[in-house]
């Protein structure tokens, strides 16, 4: 069964450094999402992406964040200058065409900012 | 925005017991999913259930959309069922997650 994949599984970085989290959505899916989960808290929506542009973003998704679909398979989340509070699990998700469909989540990237 | 509340927040069961987890939401939705977060942090899709009833092995779920709640039933619980169960709802696009129910199944 096709799966959403994410790399790396874990990343440790210094405050102020840039990080890029990578996702490969399921191949025929058209809608892509990033979510984050701070340790011990609920999962929060960051951004949705469709047709090569952001369709919705949350208040969390400020100018330090950006998303890109650089080719036909990858979907990336960049954090320009990481802060301690960016430490979290980041999940990528994708959805097939259609208004009402299951979102399929990747296994997550655990980011630790020191 | 839409609010999602899950209950109970914590639940401890003996292996073999049954349980019901509840998810209330504050507005009409066109997407509702139940997830199990395993000890490694992965979110495992359990059900896509914006309305109606579904069953998958020992798990089943029912959503009553008109009354804005969903229930997840776990029967004959096993230690591997331990973890956090999340309900998430959507109105077209993003999912909004509840705070989760942390389930611990003791042998």
């Amino acid at each position: 069964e096709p799966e959403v994949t994410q790399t790396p599984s874990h990343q440790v970085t210094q405050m102020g450094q840039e990080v890029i989290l990578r996702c490969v959505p399921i191949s025929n899916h058209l809608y892509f999402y990033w979510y984050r989960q701070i340790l011990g808290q609920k999962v929060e929506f960051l951004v949705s992406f469709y047709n090569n542009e952001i369709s919705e973003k949350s208040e969390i998704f400020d100018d330090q964040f950006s998303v890109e679909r650089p080719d036909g398979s990858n979907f990336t989340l960049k954090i320009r200058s990481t802060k301690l509070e960016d430490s979290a699990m980041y999940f990528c998700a994708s959805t097939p065409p259609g208004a009402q469909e299951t979102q399929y989540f990747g296994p997550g990237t655990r980011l630790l900012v020191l | 925005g839409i609010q999602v509340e899950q209950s109970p927040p914590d639940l401890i069961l003996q292996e073999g017991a049954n349980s019901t987890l509840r998810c209330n939401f504050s507005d009409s939705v066109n997407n509702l999913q139940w997830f199990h977060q395993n000890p490694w942090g992965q979110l495992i899709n359990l059900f896509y259930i914006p309305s109606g009833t579904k069953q998958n092995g020992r798990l089943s779920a029912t959503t009553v959309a008109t009354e804005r709640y969903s229930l997840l039933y776990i029967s004959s619980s096993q230690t591997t069922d331990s973890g956090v169960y999340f309900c998430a709802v959507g109105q077209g696009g993003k999912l909004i997650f509840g705070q989760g129910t942390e389930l611990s199944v003791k042998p």
Side-chain angles (χ1 to χ4, degrees):
Chain A
E1 185 176 326
E3 292 180 336
V4 177
T5 59
Q6 291 186 241
T7 54
S9 58
H10 295 78
Q11 180 147 7
V12 181
T13 191
Q14 295 291 324
M15 190 170 57
Q17 294 296 303
E18 175 183 286
V19 296
I20 297 176
L21 310 182
R22 291 184 166 80
C23 169
V24 179
I26 296 172
S27 64
N28 66 332
H29 287 192
L30 297 180
Y31 299 84
F32 313 116
Y33 307 86
W34 284 101
Y35 294 83
R36 80 169 187 192
Q37 184 184 30
I38 294 170
L39 187 65
Q41 298 187 21
K42 66 179 179 180
V43 179
E44 301 172 289
F45 167 76
L46 289 178
V47 65
S48 58
F49 192 85
Y50 170 71
N51 202 25
N52 281 321
E53 59 183 29
I54 290 173
S55 48
E56 187 176 1
K57 59 183 181 179
S58 72
E59 292 175 353
I60 304 167
F61 194 88
D62 61 21
D63 291 344
Q64 293 297 314
F65 292 90
S66 61
V67 289
E68 193 178 28
R69 188 152 163 84
D71 53 42
S73 59
N74 290 283
F75 180 49
T76 61
L77 174 69
K78 182 193 292 187
I79 309 175
R80 235 176 297 282
S81 177
T82 49
K83 309 186 196 78
L84 297 177
E85 54 265 36
D86 293 327
S87 295
M89 180 80 106
Y90 288 82
F91 294 102
C92 172
S94 68
T95 303
Q100 299 182 31
E101 292 287 349
T102 303
Q103 284 191 26
Y104 294 85
F105 278 69
T109 293
R110 195 175 296 277
L111 176 66
L112 178 61
V113 182
L114 301 176
Chain B
I2 193 165
Q3 304 296 313
V4 184
E5 292 183 4
Q6 292 186 243
S7 59
D10 305 281
L11 188 57
I12 300 174
L13 297 176
Q14 275 310 118
E15 200 168 26
N18 302 329
S19 63
T20 301
L21 281 56
R22 187 175 179 105
C23 172
N24 291 332
F25 45 96
S26 61
D27 203 348
S28 60
V29 298
N30 60 16
N31 185 354
L32 190 147
Q33 293 182 230
W34 282 98
F35 296 90
H36 175 215
Q37 188 164 40
N38 64 22
W40 296 272
Q42 296 174 335
L43 287 170
I44 310 300
N45 265 319
L46 297 177
F47 294 103
Y48 168 79
I49 188 163
S51 63
T53 297
K54 289 186 178 178
Q55 179 151 10
N56 184 4
R58 295 181 297 103
L59 302 182
S60 64
T62 295
T63 297
V64 183
T66 51
E67 297 187 23
R68 298 182 185 162
Y69 73 88
S70 184
L71 303 174
L72 178 70
Y73 305 95
I74 304 173
S75 65
S76 304
S77 57
Q78 300 175 358
T79 55
T80 51
D81 295 332
S82 296
V84 183
Y85 289 80
F86 288 104
C87 165
V89 304
Q91 296 175 313
K94 69 183 180 190
L95 287 177
I96 298 162
F97 282 72
Q99 293 279 7
T101 291
E102 183 161 8
L103 175 64
S104 179
V105 181
K106 305 294 187 187

